[in-house]
Structures are given as structure tokens and as C-alpha cells.
Amino acid sequence: MSQTIEIKVPDIGDYKDIPVIEVLVKPGDVIEKEQSLLTLESDKATMDVPSPEAGTVKEIKVKAGDTVSEGVLIVILEAAGAAAEPAPQAEQKPAAPAASAAPAAAASAPAPAAQAAAGGSALIEVKVPDIGDYDGVPVIEIAVKVGDMVEKEQSLITLESDKATMDVPSPQAGKVKEIKVKVGDSVGEGALILILEGAAASAPAAATQAAPEAAKPATAAAAPAPAAKDTGATHALAQAPAIVPGAGRRSISHASPSVRKFARELGVDVARVNGTGPKGRITQDDIRAFVKGVLSGATATAAAPAAAGGGELNLLPWPKIDFAKFGPIDAKPMSRIKKISGANLHRNWVMIPHVTNNEDADITDLEAFRVQLNKENEKSGVKVTMLAFLIKACVSALKKHPSFNASLDGDNLVFKQYFNVGFAADTPNGLVVPVVKNADKKGVFEIAQETSDLAKAARDGKLKPDQMQGGCFSISSLGGIGGTYFTPIINAPEVGILGVCRSSMKPVWDGKQFVPRLILPLSLSYDHRVVDGAEAARFNAHLAQVLADFRRVML
Ligand code: CAO
């Protein structure tokens, strides 16, 4: 009997809505106890959530970019050796808390102990704040030097235990007078880190008063050990025992939160930077050297062999421009849908070798038929659209060319035996792709009604997640707007998408003369890893034939 464990985000102190920056496992993975499942990163701490048990990952409930807080379900695990263990008789209380994971404490500004220095300037002793149960935590990086002017909240040093990486920020703005620790020292709560000459030196009293507020400690995080809750059956609830550092256990970039933030500001992917700090840690200087290398061309040269061997992209950092210098501007945050669809489109554009095959379909007769149908059914309230015919025509082409109804899964091609066709819908908040399920089993009227309902739900922001899932192939119709041809981006893991532009009357040579025909431009983008060019041309030619004579849809 297998035991299913729900792994949730453990107590992470005062932190809420922390972004998941990396999911480290996938369904089917066999994992060890304590193996990191995912990495969370706030602007002050990077933390990994480890597995409370060994087992097989059944389901992952979050993805990179989600934000999570304590108690959020992240992974469902089938515990290893569960069959061998006796079923618990009753709900067990969590075992004694494991180590308190309190990166949040480090994130709080440490208590500045201010004292009036000669000449009226305030000398502030900056100490390690409450970092929960941690003691003897190694200093792995010192981000400032004597004489530096620092801002309030600027990182001063980075500590790294075997549970978390934490930056200690400055309690206030000022000048670094003296540094009392060095890399490799071990520190605990209250250890003197450095002496700061407060920027508000003329008002030492204010600095002193600020101390208790600034020192407000985060709640120590008590992460319970897995708790088996059972009624003789198979279900168990568990929380991860503690938070651990990702970098130490994985071959990913080893960098403190402040260095990651710095890298993000410059558009640098830390995974591409070589760390020269202790244990290969990436420092701010490494990021600077990387940017200099890219700008001077040196890094491009160094990366060339990797690129030649199929390595990573070697892109320049994104240009950072102060647009306000050139005229008035109005900056607005992107909508949630735009952010999500943008990230998906970007990945698909970069990862899929797209090719677009253009074709013209003569829809003169089909359009006449559509107009006639709508006249006959005026009272029914259902308007037959070109999109509904296109969906049926695509089903016919998908049946004839099954590789368009496939998805890549590692070295396997998964051929789907069902025909779910998605269509891009333009909404005030951005692009969404609702899916008409089992389009092969539905008639044109039914599909017309369904696409109209789905498009309305999309525009009203009421589409449910399952209405956007399960697609095999997509259509992006700009026919109501205009255009001739375009390159639609494939909606991965699908391998094809049909772009449709506005039909127009064109002179067509019939062998004896030019005749006016209504021509619909079709642009079929396909994943060239899965579909060959000849097959794509056949798919598009078949579509054009079906649209020219819709009786062929039955063949
Ligand atoms: N050629 C000429 N006219 C067309 C046409 C075509 N290919 N397709 C639609 N039309 C006409 C319709 O007949 C309709 O005319 P009437 O109002 O006179 O009946 C008008 O254009 C408006 O159609 P529509 O676009 O609103 O409706 P639709 O069913 O064709 O499409 C939907 C629905 C949801 C696909 C559409 O509203 C939409 O959102 N399109 C944008 C998709 C998009 O953004 N794609 C880009 C994604 S990025 O790759």
C-alpha cells in the first residue's frame, strides 16, 4: 500500500508571497529525503524547500513564477517504502520542530546600537540580528569596504548556513568606518559586524530611537517534521522539515540574494557567470566582469565553443534606457495575462525551430454557404463563423497528418487520439487560448456556439483553467482585423498552429481567364523537429482543398 504525502511550504517566518524561482523535480522523479524540491527567493534570502521523505514525485502543484506562503501545497509524493511501514493508527502530531529556518530574521534590519562619536557624529554598531536557532553561521561574503557609503537596507554581509543563505542589510544609511568580521568567520546573533557612521550624524538621538523598531525580529520558523495523518488508509500530510540552501546541493549558480538582485538589474543570467568566490560562489565583481566581458566581446569569444557544441544563448544584457530623458512617459505594470503569455511565447519562440508555410484557400463557395446558413438560421441566435469551419477543416487535416497532432516528450513522440483545437482570443488583458474539446465529434453549429461562448468568457476574464488545457493544435485568426500573412508562434507542447488573415477577392486564373475568387491566406507554423517541410506543405494544401470544397471534410 503506497502512502501519499502532501508537502507544503513550511513555516518561513514573516515571509509571505515569496516567488518560486525554480522547481527542481518533476513528476516521476525518485527523490531522497532532504533533497531540494524547489527554491524560493525573496529580495533578502534564498531558500530551498527539501523533501521530508524519500519517495516518488506524483504531482507538482506550483511552477516557477508562482508566489507561495506557509502552508501552500507544493508537491504530492508517494513515500518510498511506505508499504513496509505499518500504517499509523491515528493522526500523529508533528514531531519536535526541526531546526528553525529563519532567513526572515536576517532580512530584518539589525539593531543599530548608536553612540555619539566625537564631533557629534553617530557611530552605529551593526550586529547580527536574530537569526533564529542559528549560531556559528559562516560569513561567506562581505559586500562593502571601509569608506563605502551605504544606503539603508543595502546588504553588508552574506551568511550561509546549511539551511539558508541570508543577507544582513544595513539598518540605516551611512559610511562604513570599520569592518569587524572577515570571510570565513562564524557569527551568531549579536555578533558585531561593522561600525557605521550614520548619515544622519547630526541627529544621533533619532538613530538611537530607531533601534528597537529596526531590530524587530522575524518569528522564528519552526518547521515540523512530516506528520502522518491516517485513518488506516493511505493519506499523509507532511510539511518540509526546514529550509536549506539550493546552491550547495545542485549544480546551479551559487549566489547570494543581493548578487542575484544585482544580476537581475543588469539583465544577467547568473547561470552563465563563473563564480570566483569561495566554493565557486558568484560575487558582485563576477557579475561586473561578466558584463564587461560581454560588452567588450571577450565573453562572446569565450562562449563560442559552448555555443558551437549546442550550448546556451549568448545574448547581450537587455538595454537599460531612461526613456524619460527623451520625452514624457507613463510606465504601467504589464497585466498578469501578458506576463504569463509573454514568458510562454518567449520560451516557445526560442526553443522551437519554427517554420511557416503559407497557402491560399479559395473560400468563395464556403463563404456563400456560410452566409446562406446564417440567413436560414437567423432566428436560432447562433452565427456560423469562418472560425468554426476552420476548426473542422483542421480536424480533417490532423487526422490525415497525425504528426501535427503529436507532442514531443523527451525522445518520444506522443500521438494524441483526440482532437482538441485551441483558438487565440484577443482580450482587453491580453492573449488567451481557449480549447474546443473533441472537435471531431461536434458539428459546425455546435463549434460556432462554443467558440462564441469561450471567446465571451475570455473577454470577461471568466475562462476556467481547464477550458484552456488539453489543446492539440491551435488557430490564430486575425481575419476579423486584417493582414495578409504572418508567423504565429507555436503554443507548446503543440507542434503546429494555423494563422489566418483576412480573406479578399483576388483575380484567379482558371485556365482560360481571370475570375474573381475569395481567397483566404493561411500561415501554418510548425515545429520542424517533429514535422518535415513536405508534410507541412501537404497539411496546408489539404486544408486549402477542404476549405475550397467542404464536402471533402467527410472523406
Ligand atoms: N476574413 C474576412 N473576414 C473575416 C474573417 C476572415 N478570415 N474572419 C472573420 N471575419 C469577419 C467576420 O465574419 C465578422 O464579420 P461580421 O461582423 O460582418 O459578421 C468580423 O470579421 C469579426 O469576426 P471576429 O474576429 O470577431 O469573429 P471570429 O469568430 O472570426 O473570431 C476570435 C473570434 C475569438 C478568434 C476573434 O475575436 C479574436 O480574438 N481574434 C484575434 C486572435 C488573435 O489575437 N490572434 C493573434 C494571436 S498572436 O499569434
Side-chain angles (χ1 to χ4, degrees):
M1 193 161 48
S2 69
Q3 187 183 45
T4 311
I5 297 177
E6 288 188 347
I7 302 175
K8 298 182 176 182
V9 175
D11 181 351
I12 45 177
D14 282 352
Y15 281 77
K16 287 208 171 49
D17 301 327
I18 307 185
V20 175
I21 59 159
E22 203 172 348
V23 178
L24 305 164
V25 292
K26 56 183 185 329
D29 280 1
V30 176
I31 58 168
E32 307 279 322
K33 183 173 178 177
E34 291 287 313
Q35 184 173 333
S36 293
L37 301 171
L38 50 84
T39 307
L40 311 178
E41 186 174 276
S42 75
D43 61 345
K44 296 287 193 299
T46 305
M47 327 157 215
D48 275 13
V49 178
S51 178
E53 289 289 338
T56 305
V57 175
K58 294 294 287 178
E59 226 177 301
I60 295 174
K61 296 288 192 184
V62 290
K63 58 185 181 322
D66 286 357
T67 52
V68 296
S69 305
E70 180 187 346
V72 168
L73 179 61
I74 49 177
V75 164
I76 295 182
L77 189 79
E78 192 170 287
E85 287 170 18
Q89 291 305 301
E91 181 175 335
Q92 291 175 10
K93 287 276 174 243
S100 294
S108 307
Q115 50 181 248
S121 64
L123 290 184
I124 298 159
E125 289 189 339
V126 182
K127 297 182 177 177
V128 174
D130 178 359
I131 49 172
D133 284 353
Y134 290 95
D135 203 11
V137 187
V139 175
I140 58 157
E141 200 175 336
I142 297 177
V144 292
K145 55 185 186 320
V146 172
D148 279 0
M149 293 302 297
V150 295
E151 304 282 322
K152 185 174 178 183
E153 292 288 314
Q154 183 176 332
S155 281
L156 301 172
I157 65 170
T158 305
L159 311 178
E160 187 175 87
S161 74
D162 63 342
K163 301 268 191 272
T165 306
M166 325 159 220
D167 280 357
V168 176
S170 182
Q172 70 173 70
K175 186 174 180 181
V176 178
K177 289 290 285 179
E178 218 178 313
I179 297 175
K180 296 288 196 184
V181 289
K182 57 186 186 317
V183 170
D185 284 358
S186 293
V187 294
E189 181 185 346
L192 181 61
I193 302 168
L194 57 75
I195 295 180
L196 194 72
E197 190 175 296
S202 56
T208 314
Q209 277 163 10
E213 183 54 30
K216 188 177 158 216
T219 318
K229 179 186 173 192
D230 208 322
T231 47
T234 55
H235 204 69
L237 273 173
Q239 283 193 315
I243 311 171
V244 300
R249 297 195 177 190
R250 297 178 273 128
S251 58
I252 65 150
S253 321
H254 200 41
S256 69
S258 57
V259 169
R260 285 178 187 277
K261 183 165 176 267
F262 182 58
R264 271 198 299 272
E265 281 167 8
L266 296 177
V268 172
D269 175 2
V270 285
R272 299 194 57 215
V273 180
N274 283 331
T276 60
K279 296 190 215 158
R281 166 163 291 279
I282 298 167
T283 63
Q284 289 213 354
D285 282 343
D286 292 331
I287 305 281
R288 283 191 199 98
F290 177 83
V291 172
K292 273 188 198 159
V294 170
L295 293 176
S296 68
T299 301
T301 315
E312 67 224 85
L313 291 171
N314 184 35
L315 303 175
L316 289 173
W318 195 255
K320 216 164 163 33
I321 292 171
D322 179 7
F323 297 103
K325 271 199 329 204
F326 306 104
I329 58 165
D330 183 15
K332 287 184 183 155
M334 290 221 285
S335 73
R336 200 179 67 85
I337 290 182
K338 257 202 157 39
K339 276 199 252 177
I340 295 170
S341 65
N344 279 292
L345 289 165
H346 187 192
R347 180 202 56 208
N348 299 348
W349 180 251
V350 168
M351 291 187 69
I352 300 174
H354 282 72
V355 181
T356 305
N357 178 286
N358 296 317
E359 178 63 277
D360 286 339
D362 182 337
I363 58 162
T364 317
D365 297 340
L366 183 59
E367 177 60 9
F369 180 50
R370 188 183 79 84
V371 170
Q372 184 195 329
L373 277 179
N374 281 336
K375 233 182 238 163
E376 287 169 12
N377 291 283
E378 224 164 352
K379 289 193 189 112
S380 75
V382 183
K383 188 173 134 194
V384 177
T385 55
M386 189 50 72
L387 181 65
F389 283 110
L390 285 165
I391 290 175
K392 277 311 261 189
C394 285
V395 169
S396 165
L398 290 169
K399 283 184 175 170
K400 201 167 160 68
H401 300 283
S403 56
F404 272 92
N405 204 32
S407 281
L408 266 178
D409 181 16
D411 286 340
N412 283 338
L413 261 186
V414 179
F415 290 89
K416 285 153 239 172
Q417 311 291 319
Y418 48 88
F419 298 89
N420 298 342
V421 180
F423 63 99
D426 185 27
T427 79
N429 287 321
L431 179 70
V432 290
V433 186
V435 176
V436 176
K437 306 262 168 60
N438 302 311
D440 56 318
K441 301 195 170 82
K442 293 174 181 165
V444 170
F445 277 105
E446 196 180 345
I447 292 176
Q449 179 68 60
E450 192 171 333
T451 52
S452 156
D453 293 346
L454 287 169
K456 181 172 185 315
R459 282 192 295 273
D460 296 346
K462 290 188 177 150
L463 271 184
K464 299 188 191 100
D466 70 304
Q467 291 176 305
M468 292 183 277
Q469 288 167 0
C472 305
F473 181 85
S474 295
I475 298 177
S476 175
S477 173
L478 296 172
I481 304 166
T484 49
Y485 304 92
F486 70 112
T487 303
I489 299 179
I490 296 162
N491 187 17
E494 296 167 21
V495 298
I497 179 167
L498 180 72
V500 182
C501 286
R502 193 167 187 78
S503 58
S504 59
M505 290 307 266
K506 294 256 168 85
V508 176
W509 185 251
D510 71 356
K512 291 186 197 126
Q513 58 185 336
F514 281 105
V515 289
R517 305 294 293 177
L518 187 63
I519 301 300
L520 182 72
L522 305 175
S523 303
L524 174 71
S525 290
Y526 56 95
D527 184 338
H528 210 338
R529 295 171 300 178
V530 178
V531 177
D532 293 333
E535 191 168 13
R538 285 189 199 105
F539 184 99
N540 232 356
H542 177 79
L543 265 184
Q545 273 186 338
V546 168
L547 293 169
D549 182 351
F550 216 74
R551 292 171 305 179
R552 289 175 183 273
V553 92
M554 297 177 296
L555 301 179

